[in-house]
Amino acid sequence: MRKVSPVLAFMLVLIASCSEKTTVYGENESNVSVQDNQDFLNKSINYENAGVIDISSEEELSGKTSKDGDALAGDYPLSLIAQITPPSFAGGENLTATHVNIVDDIAYVSYNTVESDYVGAIDAIDVSDPYSPQITSRLYYANADINAIAYDSGYIYIVGGVDSEKSATASTNSFVAKIPSTNGKIDINGGITYGFQEGFIGTDIAIDGNNIYVTSGKDGVLAVYDKSSVELMDETPLTDLRSVTIANNNIAVLDASKGVSIFDTNFSLIKEIAISSDFGIASKRTLDFSQDKIYVSEGSKGAGIYNATSGAFIEYISILINPEGSDASDNVTNAVAVNENAILMANGGAGLSLSEEATDSRSPVGIIDLDGSINFVASKGDYIFAASGTAGLQIIKMNKPDQSLESKCEELTSYRGSSTITVPANEIMAYQGSKRLQQINVAGDLLLCGTWTVSNDITLDASSLFEMKGSVIVGNNRSTNNITVATNAALRIEGDLVIYGDLILEEGATLDFLGSSSRVYITGTVTKAETAEVTGEYNDLLKKF
């Protein structure tokens, strides 16, 4: 394990700029260490709850409908890929994820300690293979909290806090740092570059062009650093800064004392959006831009939505409450993330909620069935990353159909029926969609095109046919379920077949993979009768055939 010190290092180079100072630390001591032994890192990847995850609707939570009834098929066919156990080391046994930045196929995760000490960590997680995520590198900080993280052009940028009274070089508790990293591999041999700014602790970071923007909490500043040298270029004091984001060439910050302030790149104030919500003391709160709207996590009020141009209040998305769940004091919106039409809210003890945005309105979809209190959420592309204090970082795949699949499906009727698809004998059904289902029973012929999750079993009766173009995911590791292909029935797959359970091929049954890029992921066993056949090209990810 390679080691350097972030604050107490013996070797350092000082680059002075007027009254400000940037510090480059070289290799020595033991306050920072990198772990990149793959066998060791793999132990932090937990598949115990992997598989199909449901969404509890507002009606189900209120008792108006039952989950066990014949509900309609739901949108957003989500699956849990894995959970990442937080880093743990001597002196850092109680870390929790604080922030996630997703760049290409790598998620960069920061951690701090829930205790009073300054202890933190960083993970780089490769999700290019959705069925086998890898922690490619892990960095431990023995004397620093890491509260936010960003990646840009070969470097990880972080902000956090140190105890300046115990440091020979840190002038304040709030710091920003630049760490070399390539393809998910953290490299501290070239040194870590640090800058310090006023404020109790670094709370958020954003990269834009050659600039690093940093917020530093109570009695802190909005600071801008040169990305190459980490030299302080400008700063403006604000009372209680929680978050910063960049949109439309402007900088927006969340100040818990008054609301959202929007600045131009010269730090000239453009607009203020007054918000009187109670943001809590030193609590995580975020803001996000989407098109012409700003989404603000506002604690017990939920997520506030504002017009980014005029600053006008639009509406609140309130916190959905699971009556079987949590203490009311824990039900607060800590973070909000927007991914196309999906609005995700990390609501602490109330979990992770999902709402959908239409042209001029937003409607609740429900609470995603995850373990633990959700303290932060980030989403990009086909992934959602939800940070939980007890369950670690939860990696969720949204299973969006890609454009080429949508074009293949466009001539079919969109499915809007029951969550249980039943095809009687001698009947033919064909649908397209991206849906959450409970069960599929086929006695006739069924064609599905798109992306589908199925909580329970898929059963093909004797001499039936089920054709699938896209992806189908069945069951989860908490409640394994099977696909049974009965005598002389046929299952044809062009895409991904994922079963958290068993595949049973009875006498004369066939499983045909079409095309050259199909994949199959089966966690259980494949039971294949002597006269059953498997044909075509496919990638058997867990080597079950």
Side-chain angles (χ1 to χ4, degrees):
M1 297 175 68
R2 304 184 303 277
K3 300 178 178 181
V4 301
S5 167
V7 179
L8 303 175
F10 293 126
M11 299 175 60
L12 54 85
V13 179
L14 299 182
I15 305 171
S17 172
C18 299
S19 62
E20 304 303 335
K21 183 167 65 176
T22 295
T23 307
V24 182
Y25 292 93
E27 234 184 314
N28 218 326
E29 277 211 274
S30 58
N31 284 322
V32 178
S33 58
V34 169
Q35 174 62 261
D36 51 18
N37 180 285
Q38 197 60 59
D39 290 337
F40 180 87
L41 295 174
N42 287 344
K43 295 176 183 178
S44 292
I45 303 175
N46 181 2
Y47 296 97
E48 182 178 347
N49 296 322
V52 173
I53 48 178
D54 208 350
I55 301 174
S56 298
S57 70
E58 186 175 26
E59 291 77 13
E60 291 166 349
L61 294 169
S62 65
K64 294 178 181 178
T65 63
S66 169
K67 255 189 176 181
D68 298 326
D70 187 16
L72 292 176
D75 296 324
Y76 298 97
L78 308 177
S79 57
L80 181 68
I81 298 302
Q83 293 166 273
I84 307 298
T85 304
S88 182
F89 58 97
E93 296 89 357
N94 198 17
L95 298 183
T96 185
T98 55
H99 199 98
V100 183
N101 181 234
I102 309 154
V103 179
D104 298 326
D105 289 322
I106 299 177
Y108 300 89
V109 187
S110 61
Y111 299 86
N112 70 10
T113 181
V114 297
E115 298 165 345
S116 58
D117 295 333
Y118 292 95
V119 184
I122 298 169
D123 275 343
I125 306 169
D126 186 339
V127 293
S128 57
D129 182 349
Y131 305 111
S132 183
Q134 299 288 321
I135 304 173
T136 54
S137 199
R138 173 171 280 176
L139 183 148
Y140 303 115
Y141 265 94
N143 66 341
D145 276 337
I146 315 301
N147 296 322
I149 190 166
Y151 177 86
D152 188 87
S153 303
Y155 292 91
I156 294 172
Y157 298 85
I158 58 173
V159 294
V162 297
D163 188 344
S164 60
E165 293 183 357
K166 296 180 180 179
S167 168
T169 56
S171 55
T172 68
N173 287 12
S174 176
F175 76 88
V176 59
K178 175 182 178 180
I179 307 169
S181 178
T182 304
N183 298 323
K185 291 291 186 180
I186 300 171
D187 178 15
I188 56 176
N189 287 325
I192 302 175
T193 309
Y194 289 81
F196 299 94
Q197 59 276 329
E198 291 299 321
F200 281 83
I201 196 164
T203 56
D204 203 3
I205 187 168
I207 308 293
D208 185 48
N210 198 43
N211 294 334
I212 310 168
Y213 294 94
V214 173
T215 52
S216 57
K218 189 75 172 174
D219 298 329
V221 295
L222 167 63
V224 57
Y225 289 85
D226 179 86
K227 189 175 71 175
S228 300
S229 63
V230 197
E231 291 185 39
L232 184 65
M233 298 166 63
D234 198 1
E235 63 183 8
T236 186
L238 288 153
T239 303
D240 191 359
L241 287 164
R242 305 296 177 87
S243 185
V244 59
T245 190
I246 310 296
N248 304 320
N249 297 317
N250 294 324
I251 306 115
V253 297
L254 175 60
D255 184 337
S257 71
K258 59 182 178 180
V260 175
S261 299
I262 300 175
F263 298 90
D264 65 16
T265 54
N266 296 316
F267 286 179
S268 295
L269 183 64
I270 298 173
K271 185 183 308 303
E272 287 189 327
I273 302 173
I275 301 175
S276 59
S277 298
D278 181 0
F279 289 96
I281 299 173
S283 301
K284 184 81 173 182
R285 299 290 184 264
T286 68
L287 72 166
D288 195 8
F289 272 93
S290 179
Q291 299 178 347
D292 61 343
K293 300 180 185 68
I294 300 175
Y295 298 80
V296 182
S297 57
E298 296 190 32
S300 60
K301 287 185 178 179
I305 306 175
Y306 302 84
N307 184 289
T309 302
S310 67
F313 171 75
I314 298 173
E315 69 172 303
Y316 284 115
I317 302 177
S318 60
I319 299 172
L320 292 176
I321 302 299
N322 188 338
E324 299 177 358
S326 56
D327 188 321
S329 63
D330 294 332
N331 300 332
V332 292
T333 301
N334 299 305
V336 61
V338 182
N339 186 330
E340 296 181 353
N341 294 330
I343 304 169
L344 297 148
M345 295 163 54
N347 292 328
L352 179 64
S353 71
L354 170 62
S355 298
E356 185 171 59
E357 181 162 25
T359 303
D360 294 312
S361 64
R362 284 137 293 275
S363 56
V365 176
I367 298 176
I368 299 172
D369 290 351
L370 297 173
D371 291 338
S373 174
I374 307 300
N375 305 315
F376 182 80
V377 63
S379 184
K380 184 178 180 182
D382 204 28
Y383 289 94
I384 300 168
F385 294 85
S388 169
T390 58
L393 182 73
Q394 310 195 56
I395 306 174
I396 302 162
K397 195 168 187 293
M398 298 181 76
N399 298 305
K400 299 178 184 179
D402 59 34
Q403 290 184 346
S404 63
L405 179 59
E406 287 181 331
S407 64
K408 289 180 183 179
C409 303
E410 61 186 359
E411 295 182 0
L412 298 175
T413 301
S414 295
Y415 185 73
R416 294 186 174 88
S418 167
S419 60
T420 296
I421 296 180
T422 300
V423 184
N426 302 316
E427 288 196 20
I428 299 173
M429 296 183 181
Y431 301 104
Q432 61 131 323
S434 182
K435 294 290 184 180
R436 286 179 288 122
L437 302 173
Q438 289 295 318
Q439 196 165 2
I440 298 177
N441 303 304
V442 184
D445 291 2
L446 174 64
L447 167 63
L448 293 182
C449 190
T451 57
W452 308 76
T453 59
V454 184
S455 298
N456 299 310
D457 295 334
I458 296 179
T459 303
L460 280 66
D461 289 348
S463 302
S464 64
L465 171 64
F466 178 21
E467 297 180 275
M468 179 72 216
K469 294 183 179 180
S471 68
V472 60
I473 305 169
V474 179
N476 57 60
N477 283 336
R478 289 174 295 178
S479 176
T480 58
N481 287 280
N482 307 326
I483 294 182
T484 301
V485 185
T487 303
N488 297 324
L491 175 61
R492 295 175 184 164
I493 301 292
E494 183 179 355
D496 286 5
L497 172 63
V498 180
I499 308 172
Y500 290 89
D502 301 334
L503 171 64
I504 302 165
L505 301 172
E506 297 183 356
E507 294 290 347
T510 60
L511 171 58
D512 302 319
F513 290 98
L514 308 179
S516 59
S517 58
S518 292
R519 298 183 295 182
V520 57
Y521 181 95
I522 300 173
T523 63
T525 61
V526 175
T527 301
K528 179 174 171 288
E530 185 175 352
T531 58
E533 292 185 345
V534 178
T535 67
E537 296 182 35
Y538 59 94
N539 183 1
D540 182 8
L541 296 171
L542 294 182
K543 311 300 181 189
K544 293 302 175 82
F545 287 93

